[in-house]
Amino acid sequence: MNLSRSPSWLAILVSAVTVSAIMANASLAADPDPWKVFPGGLPSSANALRFNIDANVAISRQHANPAGLEDWEQGKASLAAKLDEAIGLSPRPAKTPLNAQVTGRAERDGYTIENVAFESFPGFYVTANLYVPTGLEGPLPAIVVTAGHAMDDGKNYDLYRTAQIGLVRQGFVVLAYDPIGQGERKLPGYSHQVSYPALLVGHTNLRYMLWDSVRSLDYLETRPEVDPKRIGIAGNSGGGLNTMYAMPIDSRFACGASFCCLCSYEAWIKDGGNHCICNHLPGIAQDMEQFQFVGLAAPRPFLAGNGQKDPIFPIAGTRDTIQRAEQIYAFYDSADHVTLRDVPAGHGWSKPLREAGYGWFNRFLQGRGDGSPVAEPEIELEDKGSKDLQVFKDGKFPADARSYVDLVREEANRLVAAYPNVPSDAADYSAWSESLREQLWQTLGGQPQVFKSQAEEHGSFDWEGHTVERLAIRTERELEVAALLIRPENANGPLPLVIVLDSQGKQAALQSETVRRLLEQPIAVLALDVRAVGEGAVNANQCASDAIMLGRPLLAQQAWDVIVAARTLSQQEGFGEVAVYGRGSSGLTTLLAAALSDHLDAVVTERTLGSFVDAIADPLPQPQWVYAPNILKVADVSQLAALCAPRPLMFVSPVDDKQKELSEERRKRLLDTVQSGYNATSAKSAVQLAAGKDAEQAAADFLIRALTE
């Protein structure tokens, strides 16, 4: 419970301390909310979301237009490689057998509907409907239609079916499929939120969405009705997202139309608000702006259709992107092959935008018309629950089906199994640890600029005889975080200090019996709210996903807060050694900070995951800020812990994805890996693990010994 965010904080605090102690403390009772560093509300200087938005915008503005064709051609391959890497398509997956099957066929006026299932990855079933015009001589042009975020209906959402039938009536074969987590694929283990766990292994939602589109194209190429050189792709919102990235990553898409999605990174991060995680690619803001990946499709025709009143994809950003993309298309004498159709509407595949798509595809895939909008005939939709629109009629997937979570866990286990052993030889360990730390910094966006940080006091009060100072610690030039520095009663001389982290915020830490025992020693305590936690809490999804776009995931940003706080306090008079104690999910922040910095002299985690692999589940078992892109390509929890050697380290009751203590076998495996590093540094007994009944007092006992003996 975050007491600072509750109007009844006093009632909650009574459960942790006695009523008499509270009433005896006049200065505490007089302050309406003493535990807040920022009682007037979170200032922009401490707002992690504002920090990430501003950083993304500043970087996005640095991407310049190419000077000419030669300049563009020289940089194009690098941009394409960076795009593949960000999506998670480097290297490209193997094209395994589609094992396509038609499960049903129905006649309609002017077209037929075939229900199709195929495997984009082995056991990863894609459910699709194939609309084929009747009475036309083939082979015909075709279009893959990708659904937006219509989670219940997917391909059969009324608005999208209207577009599908409209395209069929224009003479196109249409393959409309359910993206992961939608329609028939709205199943446990398929949620869009799984993109967060996928990030751990370098994958994204877009990787799977785009690969489904690529394999849809592969399927269409097997159909005798389809001309393989005239296949396009279209979609709205999330389907527009799929479309605008599919065009540059597969040149077989001869034409594309993205509706209500294309914008600019600058505009939609700055003004577009909170988006689904599938919109966010790791570090993409560092590498390019949207006009550049549109340019990668040149000279193939690309249409953006947007609503002028769309609040989540501001039209100014779309106009700027298309204008800049036109300059690249002009290098190939095809400036008219990229255009924007904007209409006075909000977010949605409205009739004017559908009509713009018909005209665009007619021109470039059928060679008729000049690309101007074509009127949509009256379309009457059947009930979306019709069995003729369902691929698996009984609602059950085949017995060998694998979920999104299954695929991500498989990759995670593959990566972990391939790690080299932690060396137990001193020289080998030194080289290993130096290399791994460098890899971690590279993976996490690089080490921020070091500067002389400050801890600004915002007043103090007495609490149970201890002095509590409210601090704002500047951990970046543009960001400060809140903390409570508790100096024990009657303490003299340099004091050891424990930085306490809790995923529920700094005030949850103050209810800890471990904290009380530390203060009795006396050992000073810094209850720290790393950014986006506790008093600094902001929109969790928006802040985490914007940090991912920046290429500096929140987990790494929070670890930097700990590193800077430790350095800042250790430089003040009155403090000696500095330890860090992290509870719950914050134990991962604790370990990462200690792995990256030598400023922390002892480390304890309590009820923290024993492996990042345990964070791969649906629904999410951890906060969004835990999911650092690509980290499992470099290290798991045990490797981070091994980097702490020879400093005292304790795991207290490490847990799995269900928050249950690890089995004895898993505890042994975790400790054995870490022990190798400690053996190499002649600190065999400095690493410990406590579980079960032994864990109740373990954290305090360990920290007291480490800091006072």
Side-chain angles (χ1 to χ4, degrees):
M1 175 70 71
N2 184 342
L3 306 185
S4 68
R5 301 179 67 86
S6 170
S8 57
W9 66 268
L10 184 59
I12 301 172
L13 196 59
V14 167
S15 65
V17 297
T18 64
V19 175
S20 60
I22 295 174
M23 298 306 294
N25 191 331
S27 62
L28 177 59
D31 193 322
D33 201 348
W35 305 102
K36 274 195 172 183
V37 175
F38 308 113
L42 191 66
S44 60
S45 61
N47 189 313
L49 176 56
R50 183 77 264 156
F51 173 85
N52 283 301
I53 289 173
D54 290 346
N56 271 299
V57 168
I59 290 170
S60 294
R61 289 174 176 171
Q62 296 175 13
H63 297 297
N65 293 345
L69 177 60
E70 183 178 357
D71 182 30
W72 172 250
E73 287 288 340
Q74 286 178 349
K76 188 168 69 169
S78 175
L79 282 172
K82 289 176 180 177
L83 184 60
D84 269 12
E85 181 67 29
I87 293 168
L89 288 174
S90 181
R92 294 288 175 95
K95 287 193 174 183
T96 52
L98 288 168
N99 297 325
Q101 53 182 303
V102 176
T103 64
R105 189 175 187 277
E107 299 285 346
R108 294 294 183 269
D109 182 19
Y111 61 92
T112 61
I113 306 172
E114 291 188 16
N115 312 125
V116 179
F118 61 84
E119 299 173 43
S120 57
F121 294 97
F124 197 53
Y125 285 89
V126 179
T127 47
N129 286 332
L130 184 73
Y131 294 78
V132 182
T134 55
L136 296 179
E137 185 177 348
L140 301 172
I143 298 173
V144 175
V145 173
T146 64
H149 289 82
M151 312 313 287
D152 291 334
D153 301 328
K155 65 184 181 301
N156 294 329
Y157 181 57
D158 287 353
L159 199 63
Y160 302 152
R161 272 195 298 141
T162 301
Q164 294 158 21
I165 295 171
L167 287 165
V168 171
R169 295 200 182 282
Q170 293 296 324
F172 297 98
V173 175
V174 174
L175 182 72
Y177 72 85
D178 288 317
I180 51 172
Q182 298 179 225
E184 293 184 68
R185 298 171 85 191
K186 187 183 179 184
L187 300 167
Y190 288 79
S191 162
H192 273 213
Q193 284 291 297
V194 179
S195 189
Y196 277 108
L199 290 165
L200 295 171
V201 302
H203 293 177
T204 63
N205 268 4
L206 263 177
R207 177 185 191 266
Y208 292 90
M209 292 162 64
L210 290 170
W211 199 243
D212 286 350
S213 291
V214 168
R215 302 315 311 274
S216 294
L217 191 156
D218 291 340
Y219 174 71
L220 285 172
E221 288 184 335
T222 71
R223 297 289 302 216
E225 308 96 325
V226 173
D227 180 350
K229 296 188 180 302
R230 293 189 291 157
I231 299 176
I233 183 167
N236 176 75
S237 192
L241 177 80
N242 192 319
T243 298
M244 70 192 200
Y245 285 108
M247 285 292 290
I249 68 114
D250 197 321
S251 61
R252 293 177 302 160
F253 285 115
C255 184
S258 171
F259 297 98
C260 295
C261 193
L262 186 79
C263 188
S264 68
Y265 293 136
E266 176 187 342
W268 72 253
I269 291 175
K270 178 175 176 286
D271 299 317
N274 186 31
H275 285 253
C276 176
I277 182 59
C278 62
N279 287 55
H280 298 76
L281 298 177
I284 196 68
Q286 300 272 359
D287 295 327
M288 67 189 68
E289 249 294 359
Q290 293 197 12
F291 78 92
Q292 291 165 300
F293 74 66
V294 174
L296 289 174
R300 288 174 288 128
F302 180 86
L303 167 70
N306 286 61
Q308 297 165 4
K309 302 175 184 178
D310 189 338
I312 61 176
F313 296 107
I315 194 62
T318 311
R319 288 169 176 164
D320 181 66
T321 290
I322 292 299
Q323 183 180 31
R324 299 174 81 179
E326 283 175 347
Q327 297 178 41
I328 298 173
Y329 271 72
F331 298 154
Y332 304 97
D333 297 322
S334 58
D336 66 331
H337 282 203
V338 61
T339 196
L340 168 65
R341 297 275 192 265
D342 56 22
V343 299
H347 185 78
W349 206 349
S350 59
K351 184 175 181 180
L353 293 181
R354 297 196 299 272
E355 292 176 337
Y358 304 150
W360 189 255
F361 285 120
N362 284 350
R363 176 188 173 188
F364 289 107
L365 294 183
Q366 296 195 28
R368 59 188 177 93
D370 61 2
S372 299
V374 170
E376 180 181 85
E378 185 175 345
I379 295 173
E380 186 174 339
L381 297 176
E382 62 191 286
D383 190 303
K384 62 187 176 185
S386 167
K387 289 293 184 182
D388 288 345
L389 300 175
Q390 304 301 313
V391 176
F392 295 120
K393 310 300 182 183
D394 60 0
K396 297 179 181 178
F397 271 45
D400 65 344
R402 295 194 299 162
S403 72
Y404 189 5
V405 166
D406 292 335
L407 297 187
V408 175
R409 275 203 173 234
E410 179 181 67
E411 177 63 7
N413 288 324
R414 185 191 71 80
L415 290 171
V416 171
Y419 293 156
N421 292 331
V422 177
S424 56
D425 173 80
D428 291 343
Y429 173 82
S430 178
W432 173 85
S433 60
E434 182 180 354
S435 173
L436 182 56
R437 188 174 285 185
E438 182 179 348
Q439 290 179 63
L440 280 167
W441 276 124
Q442 291 175 350
T443 301
L444 298 170
Q447 183 171 345
Q449 185 178 5
V450 177
F451 66 101
K452 185 173 177 57
S453 58
Q454 297 177 334
E456 180 181 349
E457 186 175 333
H458 286 233
S460 63
F461 58 92
D462 292 335
W463 174 59
E464 295 189 336
H466 310 302
T467 299
V468 182
E469 298 174 20
R470 294 184 282 258
L471 300 181
I473 303 173
R474 189 158 292 279
T475 57
E476 312 248 11
R477 294 188 186 278
E478 304 84 8
L479 187 76
E480 57 187 352
V481 296
L484 299 173
L485 175 60
I486 310 171
R487 297 179 186 268
E489 182 181 15
N490 300 323
N492 296 310
L495 286 175
L497 173 72
V498 176
I499 298 175
V500 179
L501 307 180
D502 192 294
S503 53
Q504 298 303 309
K506 62 184 181 298
Q507 285 159 258
L510 297 181
Q511 300 178 43
S512 163
E513 182 60 31
T514 297
V515 168
R516 294 179 179 278
R517 288 191 59 201
L518 293 175
L519 293 170
E520 290 169 358
Q521 287 312 299
I523 295 173
V525 168
L526 182 76
L528 178 66
D529 277 341
V530 292
R531 68 189 76 184
V533 169
E535 192 173 344
V538 290
N539 184 296
N541 177 74
Q542 187 175 359
C543 190
S545 56
D546 283 356
I548 286 163
M549 288 283 291
L550 182 62
R552 285 187 62 198
L554 267 182
L555 182 67
Q557 293 186 28
Q558 293 176 350
W560 183 246
D561 291 339
V562 177
I563 292 168
V564 175
R567 185 174 63 237
T568 303
L569 271 294
S570 66
Q571 291 171 352
Q572 292 187 1
E573 290 186 9
F575 296 111
E577 291 188 320
V578 179
V580 62
Y581 165 46
R583 302 169 64 190
S585 302
S586 289
L588 297 171
T589 307
T590 296
L591 274 179
L592 182 59
L596 292 172
S597 171
D598 295 324
H599 281 97
L600 299 162
D601 299 300
V603 186
V604 175
T605 68
E606 183 173 337
R607 297 202 63 81
T608 299
L609 289 182
S611 169
F612 280 107
V613 179
D614 290 312
I616 302 170
D618 182 21
L620 296 184
Q622 295 290 307
Q624 287 100 326
W625 50 258
V626 163
Y627 297 94
N630 295 297
I631 196 168
L632 278 175
K633 289 184 176 181
V634 180
D636 198 0
V637 167
S638 54
Q639 283 70 36
L640 297 181
L643 285 175
C644 297
R647 293 163 289 169
L649 166 69
M650 171 170 270
F651 298 101
V652 178
S653 302
V655 297
D656 60 18
D657 59 327
K658 295 180 175 58
Q659 295 300 306
K660 293 183 178 179
E661 286 195 8
L662 295 184
S663 65
E664 184 176 352
E665 178 186 353
R666 285 199 58 189
R667 293 199 301 267
K668 182 178 185 304
R669 198 184 320 149
L670 170 64
L671 198 58
D672 285 350
T673 299
V674 181
Q675 191 71 62
S676 293
Y678 277 78
N679 292 345
T681 55
S682 301
K684 183 177 180 180
S685 62
V687 59
Q688 298 180 27
L689 190 153
K693 294 181 180 179
D694 296 335
E696 193 170 331
Q697 305 291 329
D701 291 343
F702 185 83
L703 286 165
I704 291 167
R705 287 196 304 271
L707 295 174
T708 62
E709 293 181 1

